Amino acid sequence: MCQVYAGQRPESYEPVTRRLRLSGHSTSIRLERSFWRILDSMAAREGMTTPAFISRLHDEVQEIQGGVRNFASLLRCACLIEMQQARDAGFALAAE
């Protein structure tokens, strides 16, 4: 079991910083490369660039919740939701 987790390629969890604009302000977000890959995929599925996708998500969080204390954590959790939904969809297809 530990080999699955401990045997990861170091590049997958290497932190990567990207600069973008949120609510008109220039900022940077630092996430592990694996999370950026998932966010890139989510944005592409929506027909958006990753910065535009993240900016829209940020605006929606502001509107719905009035803000968020740790936006990077919200992005990581969004990636987990994405992966869980993909897994659940795979299970549903396998059951048919």
Side-chain angles (χ1 to χ4, degrees):
M1 175 183 82
C2 289
Q3 182 61 28
V4 172
Y5 307 115
Q8 297 179 65
R9 293 176 307 134
E11 308 85 55
S12 68
Y13 56 86
E14 174 183 34
V16 175
T17 302
R18 294 192 189 178
R19 297 197 54 75
L20 58 139
R21 295 185 83 71
L22 297 177
S23 300
H25 300 283
S26 181
T27 189
S28 61
I29 298 175
R30 185 177 176 109
L31 298 172
E32 294 75 10
R33 189 176 306 277
S34 292
F35 289 112
W36 283 120
R37 286 187 189 120
I38 296 166
L39 288 167
D40 291 341
S41 174
M42 293 165 69
R45 189 182 66 239
E46 296 294 322
M48 304 173 78
T49 65
T50 302
F53 176 78
I54 290 172
S55 181
R56 179 177 289 171
L57 178 59
H58 182 266
D59 290 346
E60 289 179 6
V61 170
Q62 293 290 339
E63 183 180 318
I64 293 169
Q65 298 182 17
V68 61
R69 285 189 285 177
N70 189 333
F71 189 60
S73 290
L74 180 134
L75 291 173
R76 287 183 187 93
C77 288
C79 291
L80 290 174
I81 291 168
E82 175 75 7
M83 298 306 295
Q84 289 170 339
Q85 288 178 343
R87 183 201 64 207
D88 293 347
F91 286 147
L93 288 175
E96 292 178 355

